[in-house]
Amino acid sequence: MSAFQNILTAVENGVETITINRPDKLNALNKQTIQELHQALAEAETNDLVKIIIITGSGQKAFVAGADIAEFANFNREQGQELSDSGQKLLFDFIQNLSKPTIAAINGFALGGGLEVAVSCHIRVASDNAKMGLPEVSLGVIPGYGGTQRLAQLVGKGKAFEMIMTADMISADDALTWGLVNHVTTPENLMAKCNELASKIITRSPSALASAIRSVNANFADGVNGFETEIVEFGKCFATADFKEGTTAFLEKRKPSFTGK
Ligand code: COA
């Protein structure tokens, strides 16, 4: 595994926890942090010891308080477009399209790019002190890391517009009601809840999970018919060792032992 300055990584029992670690800047995403996250996730994708990834922020206060405002405050139009384009490719689309499940453990402020990281993950769990929002219009800019798209996909267009237009933060309980997060826990139980979800998912077929990710994502991809993707992915499952193992184990009344092949 690579050595990183702004993130911490730890793998235990198939679960890789990636902690964004700039607590004095509330874990704001600067260029280097985005690059390091990309590298860690790319390594996780190919590491057979990693089955599922949890992303969180260090400290008690913030998951991620957004893109690093100091870094882009003097950018011009072309630099702004490049920031959004490269960030989306390196991190936000990359998380969404990872073949391994990702869970965001939202341990505090998830603002701007921080909320955009969370909504790129497949599942979100928030601690009850978390605050979530897209404050960009208060800075004269819009969410540029997929927030205008993925937030609306999760909570619907009306609520996404309200969050984006007011720039207000919402509580973890409201986020739960709105369908923005899957679960809310106490701060002390946050990682335990994420690990509980992970320990269940880890027993499932990795190749089927990858097919499920591709199929669900296809619903939101431009010019792609998600139903057709599902048909193709469904068929592909029948050619996997996991499918043979899963169905054989069921018929033999035992637990399956999947290899992801
Ligand atoms: N980019 C760069 N630095 C950030 C940051 C960001 N998005 N969010 C917080 N920080 C830095 C602050 O500048 C401060 O650094 P300093 O101690 O060197 O001055 C440090 O993190 C602590 O933040 P501070 O504002 O003092 O904490 P707070 O408890 O008073 O307020 C927030 C917390 C989250 C409400 C506030 O930091 C905030 O509004 N951050 C920006 C959120 C945002 O607009 N994000 C979208 C960016 S597109």
Side-chain angles (χ1 to χ4, degrees), residues 61 63-65 104-112 114-116 118-119 124-136 151 154-155 162-164 166-184:
K61 199 169 165 182
F63 174 71
V64 171
I106 306 171
N107 58 310
F109 289 114
L111 303 175
L115 187 61
E116 288 168 305
V119 298
R124 282 150 294 285
V125 182
S127 59
D128 55 22
N129 65 327
K131 295 252 182 263
M132 285 156 261
L134 291 179
E136 283 87 348
L151 183 66
L154 273 173
V155 302
E162 184 177 333
M163 285 183 76
I164 292 166
T166 62
D168 279 346
M169 299 181 207
I170 64 167
S171 67
D173 284 341
D174 283 345
L176 184 65
T177 308
W178 289 16
L180 177 51
V181 300
N182 300 55
H183 301 278
V184 174

Side-chain angles (χ1 to χ4, degrees), residues 89-152:
K89 286 182 184 133
L90 279 174
L91 185 57
F92 302 85
D93 293 351
F94 199 75
I95 295 173
Q96 173 177 289
N97 295 319
L98 219 64
S99 68
K100 297 178 181 177
T102 52
I103 301 176
I106 306 171
N107 58 310
F109 289 114
L111 303 175
L115 187 61
E116 288 168 305
V117 168
V119 298
S120 297
C121 289
H122 304 126
I123 293 173
R124 282 150 294 285
V125 182
S127 59
D128 55 22
N129 65 327
K131 295 252 182 263
M132 285 156 261
L134 291 179
E136 283 87 348
V137 297
S138 67
L139 297 166
V141 68
I142 63 167
Y145 287 146
T148 63
Q149 308 301 299
R150 289 192 188 95
L151 183 66

Side-chain angles (χ1 to χ4, degrees), residues 11-16 48-53 202:
V11 181
E12 201 179 336
N13 300 326
V15 182
E16 175 159 357
D48 286 342
L49 297 175
V50 177
K51 309 290 182 202
I52 184 163
I53 297 135
I202 240 169

